[in-house]
Amino acid sequence: MNTLTATATSPATAPGPKGAPLVGSLGPWRRNTAEFLLGLQRDYGELVRMRLGPMTVHQATSPEAVRRVLVENNANYVRGPLYEQFGVVMGKGLLTTDGEFWRGHRRAVQPVFLKNAVADIVPNIVAATQEMLDEWEARAARDEPVDLMAEMLRLTLVTLSRSLFAYDIKPASHVLKRIVDDVVEVMFRRGTASEMLPSWLPTARNRKIAHIHQVFDEVVANVRENYARTGEGPLIALMEQAEDPATGQPWTDRQLRDELLTIYLAGHETTAVSLCWTLLSIANHPHVQEELDGEIDEVLGGGTPDADSAAGLTYTRMVVDESLRMYPPIWIFPRAAVGPDTLDGYDIEAGSSILLSPLASHHNPRHWDNPVAFDPYRFTPQAVRERPRMAYFPFGAGPRQCVGNSMALLELRIIVAMINQRFQLNLVPGDALRYGSPVISLRPLRDVMVRLRSREPKPKPKPGSVTPAASAAGGPHAASAAGEAPAADSSACPYGAGGA
Ligand code: HEM
């Protein structure tokens, strides 16, 4: 801990950087937020106090503090001012609201996202992935690289829209990708004069916001029209039948628009980012690739996954879990303390903000040996049991845990398996495997171009023969328990935040 610059004024005040007059630590925060937050944990520990402009903010990374904020005392921690920027575009939806309004909406949509219900979307995931892979076949034949992030964004958008709304958004997916880039820009390019001006003034920013709403109004109109005609789409069905608990009336058009926008935005970008990192990590670690290929051949052979075989992809799931550890797409999220509290023995005053950072917690050396190494064997059932639950929370926790987490994990497992079943991905030389200074999600630093090499699946092994995948599927990996997990290639590890 760096005691020289710590600003502890009483034993109960958490240590942290002194910062500059007036602005506090806004400088390093803006230069590279990810690097700054990882540095705070390294230099000051698991509970760090800082000032960001006028705000007092604590970064909390110990499992105990994370549990206190998200689970045990969650009623004391609301979305707060750091969440306000989401509302500019998303309005009042699940992500941005608290209290009774949030509870009513969560109750209304939850049934579609329960584990059993989510299994129904497997055929949609498989079909959309197969369409993409058939297009890739032609590109592989021409040795033409693909832009991995763009492909994953399109795939997850199409899958989400077909699965939840029975609406085929594929023809509009290119327009929507540009719109999502605009969403990120208007929510996070802050501190400009235009942000302070009234929303009816035709500034460039306000025009962009109006355009985003116009495009999504069209999507919502199409989804609703499609539902009225076909009666299909499990989530739109629930939304059309939902009642506002305050009025007893059906959701207004505006409420439906905001919630649809929230689901589209929160659901597809996060999953695409995670797919991108998972595929890159596999390509970058030959021993992981080999073990994964073995499992895919064994469980799927040349066939496509269904809900049962997807459940058998246990090593694939460990690879996905490790990728979500190293590269959690939602890498920070805030809360505001309504009343005073104590975290890790330090005072938290009412009105101050708490930053929860899956990125920093997932690199906390107290719970993760050599945290910069990519090692799926951290996620054997035994290893998971032995670690405090809140050392790992890529989907948040408690009542506000990600509503789409089962859907995302199923999608990730199936898509990763299907891509690796047909292709080996090779990163075009020169593309840095690092993340930039992220805003909403932890995207790679630059566009990631990959070359595709077609792969012939091997026939399923004869019953009785033992493969590496089978040993992983059978429970904790013996070698791992003895500290002999396959050497994680930390030299090739893409860890390290690059300047944007
Ligand atoms: C890998 C993929 C995903 C990751 C890493 C992720 C991560 C998260 C996290 C960390 C939160 C909690 C934020 C907080 O507590 O402040 C959250 C909330 C949320 N997520 Fe996800 N998410 C993913 C996929 C999805 C999907 C597929 C959907 C929907 C189709 C979705 C919809 C939502 C919604 C609506 C919320 C707000 C829930 C509430 O407060 O009630 N997410 N997500």
Side-chain angles (χ1 to χ4, degrees):
M1 185 185 301
N2 185 343
T3 45
L4 286 178
T5 50
T7 55
T9 53
S10 82
T13 302
K18 199 165 177 321
L22 295 175
V23 292
S25 295
L26 271 180
W29 164 275
R30 287 211 173 117
R31 265 195 299 285
N32 191 321
T33 318
E35 204 166 72
F36 173 61
L37 297 184
L38 287 164
L40 290 181
Q41 178 175 249
R42 185 187 58 234
D43 296 340
Y44 298 101
E46 293 172 303
L47 197 81
V48 185
R49 182 185 174 93
M50 70 194 117
R51 272 187 315 105
L52 295 176
M55 283 187 289
T56 299
V57 179
H58 289 89
Q59 171 171 263
T61 59
S62 75
E64 299 76 17
V66 173
R67 174 181 295 285
R68 173 92 187 147
V69 173
L70 293 181
V71 186
E72 288 164 8
N73 198 19
N74 74 79
N76 188 49
Y77 294 97
V78 295
R79 299 315 225 194
L82 288 169
Y83 240 112
E84 272 165 17
Q85 50 210 5
F86 285 93
V88 174
V89 171
M90 292 184 182
K92 289 176 75 185
L94 271 180
L95 207 62
T96 51
T97 53
D98 281 299
E100 277 313 305
F101 185 95
W102 164 77
R103 217 179 317 279
H105 280 225
R106 176 92 186 203
R107 222 177 273 136
V109 305
Q110 182 91 28
V112 168
F113 293 102
L114 297 176
K115 226 177 192 161
N116 290 343
V118 154
D120 293 347
I121 70 171
V122 172
N124 277 318
I125 306 173
V126 170
T129 311
Q130 238 162 356
E131 285 166 30
M132 181 191 76
L133 296 177
D134 290 344
E135 288 165 24
W136 281 15
E137 211 68 70
R139 298 173 75 168
R142 294 195 298 271
D143 196 27
E144 182 186 310
V146 300
D147 176 343
L148 196 59
M149 191 67 219
E151 293 288 304
M152 294 304 103
L153 281 168
R154 196 149 66 102
L155 177 60
T156 53
L157 183 67
V158 169
T159 307
L160 183 151
S161 192
R162 287 183 190 166
S163 302
L164 300 179
F165 304 119
Y167 174 65
D168 193 1
I169 207 163
K170 198 171 182 181
S173 59
H174 288 290
V175 180
L176 282 165
K177 182 180 175 301
R178 282 199 299 278
I179 290 290
V180 170
D181 290 342
D182 284 351
V183 168
V184 173
E185 191 186 322
V186 298
M187 289 204 295
F188 291 92
R189 275 282 141 79
R190 290 172 62 80
T192 60
S194 133
E195 192 195 330
M196 322 298 286
L197 297 171
S199 60
W200 48 264
L201 267 183
T203 60
R205 180 172 187 272
N206 289 341
R207 277 202 305 273
K208 249 180 201 161
I209 295 173
H211 183 55
I212 292 164
H213 284 152
Q214 188 193 335
V215 170
F216 269 96
D217 280 344
E218 245 170 72
V219 172
V220 174
N222 289 341
V223 167
R224 298 185 77 175
E225 187 274 324
N226 188 57
Y227 175 69
R229 205 162 29 80
T230 64
E232 286 181 12
L235 186 55
I236 187 64
L238 289 182
M239 288 177 167
E240 293 281 9
Q241 289 149 24
E243 283 179 3
D244 183 337
T247 61
Q249 296 296 310
W251 284 3
T252 61
D253 289 353
R254 182 64 191 265
Q255 283 176 329
L256 225 140
R257 198 272 308 269
D258 287 355
E259 212 54 89
L260 231 117
L261 191 64
T262 298
I263 296 288
Y264 268 115
L265 290 176
H268 91 283
E269 216 259 356
T270 42
T271 314
V273 168
S274 180
L275 277 169
C276 201
W277 283 120
T278 308
L279 294 166
L280 292 176
S281 302
I282 294 165
N284 211 31
H285 295 84
H287 64 273
V288 174
Q289 177 84 64
E290 200 181 313
E291 190 153 0
L292 189 80
D293 291 350
E295 173 172 275
I296 293 167
D297 289 343
E298 185 190 329
V299 176
L300 302 180
T304 49
D306 55 24
D308 286 338
S309 56
L313 294 165
T314 49
Y315 182 70
T316 313
R317 166 72 195 258
M318 284 158 56
V319 172
V320 165
D321 287 343
E322 172 65 346
S323 166
L324 285 165
R325 179 192 70 82
M326 261 184 93
Y327 308 104
I330 301 299
W331 60 288
I332 43 170
F333 53 92
R335 291 290 189 271
V338 179
D341 198 12
T342 305
L343 295 179
D344 289 349
Y346 292 111
D347 289 342
I348 302 295
E349 59 268 53
S352 65
S353 293
I354 309 293
L355 265 188
L356 299 165
S357 168
L359 182 73
S361 289
H362 295 178
H363 286 79
N364 183 342
R366 183 153 71 99
H367 301 292
W368 306 97
D369 279 344
N370 192 10
V372 296
F374 188 85
D375 178 8
Y377 279 91
R378 299 181 200 273
F379 289 92
T380 61
Q382 182 179 338
V384 170
R385 269 195 307 275
E386 285 171 357
R387 216 171 16 240
R389 161 95 176 69
M390 292 294 150
Y392 181 70
F393 58 105
F395 295 100
R400 302 302 296 255
Q401 181 170 31
C402 175
V403 78
N405 94 32
S406 298
M407 175 175 168
L409 285 172
L410 185 64
E411 218 179 326
L412 286 164
R413 197 191 289 214
I414 290 178
I415 295 173
V416 168
M418 285 182 74
I419 290 178
N420 281 281
Q421 187 183 35
R422 280 177 62 179
F423 294 100
Q424 175 157 353
L425 272 51
N426 295 310
L427 195 60
V428 173
D431 269 309
L433 267 171
R434 295 184 307 160
Y435 40 82
S437 188
V439 277
I440 300 187
S441 59
L442 196 71
R443 286 203 192 191
L445 182 59
R446 285 193 272 282
D447 289 349
V448 180
M449 303 305 291
V450 293
R451 284 191 198 285
L452 308 164
R453 192 161 60 76
S454 296
R455 183 180 170 263
E456 282 300 314
K458 295 197 190 82
K460 282 192 183 199
K462 291 197 183 77
S465 61
V466 179
T467 64
S471 70
H477 188 249
S480 165
E484 296 164 21
D489 181 5
S490 53
S491 62
C493 169
Y495 171 73

